[in-house]
Amino acid sequence: MDNRQAIGSWLSGPRAAAEDAGADFGYRGEQLGLPESGPGSIARPGRRLGALAVDWGLCTLIAYGLITDGYGQATGNWALLVFFVLSALTVGTLGFTPGKRLFGLRVLALRTGTVNPLRALLRTVLLCLALPALIWDRDGRGLHDRLARTVEVRI
């Protein structure tokens, strides 16, 4: 093997190296029966992070303007509480938060399609813990989505 090939496979990661060896992983969401692209396909990480940033900014503004009257440690704590309430209520009833709607995303239950409030509550608790959201599977779903049996898709 040429050194350039070895370095290239190291830089592209283990998935690319396995695909070069002949493994077929399919596309994200194929195992879940979702389309590869367009409406109903798995939401990409960039859109998800953008929606999260919009939601967090909105919750910080609410905490700053309505609760703490200034910015400090208490503002961040209140923003987390506002985020928890906002996410649990809106995902449990509408299927999306304001940020998700802005970025064209929706949370769906895998079997029924609509997220019931208890699943939304579990998903939100795990999302607020942050660590489950940082552990992803090959479909791009976070651990919080896997445990709540939900998936975030494009509208």
Side-chain angles (χ1 to χ4, degrees):
M1 177 184 289
D2 185 11
N3 284 339
R4 290 176 289 174
Q5 287 176 331
I7 291 173
S9 68
W10 176 76
L11 289 174
S12 58
R15 180 181 176 135
E19 286 175 344
D20 289 343
D24 182 23
F25 291 108
Y27 61 87
R28 291 179 180 210
E30 184 175 18
Q31 292 179 333
L32 304 172
L34 299 174
E36 185 173 1
S37 61
S41 65
I42 293 277
R44 298 287 184 224
R47 283 183 181 225
R48 294 177 74 163
L49 288 173
L52 181 65
V54 168
D55 290 336
W56 184 255
L58 179 65
C59 293
T60 302
L61 282 174
I62 291 170
Y64 176 80
L66 298 178
I67 300 171
T68 61
D69 246 358
Y71 190 78
Q73 178 64 35
T75 305
N77 294 337
W78 281 106
L80 183 61
L81 180 65
V82 171
F83 177 80
F84 176 81
V85 171
L86 173 87
S87 183
L89 289 177
T90 58
V91 170
T93 56
L94 302 172
F96 50 80
T97 61
K100 288 182 191 344
R101 183 67 180 124
L102 184 66
F103 278 82
L105 304 176
R106 184 178 183 100
V107 178
L108 300 174
L110 285 177
R111 293 183 190 231
T112 62
T114 57
V115 180
N116 68 28
L118 290 176
R119 283 186 198 266
L121 186 64
L122 173 64
R123 183 182 188 277
T124 303
V125 166
L126 294 170
L127 183 61
C128 287
L129 292 175
L131 186 61
L134 297 174
I135 301 171
W136 292 8
D137 65 2
R138 66 173 270 213
D139 287 322
R141 291 190 318 154
L143 188 58
H144 64 294
D145 278 327
R146 289 188 57 102
L147 293 175
R149 296 188 192 118
T150 58
V151 63
E152 197 166 341
V153 297
R154 292 175 55 193
I155 296 177

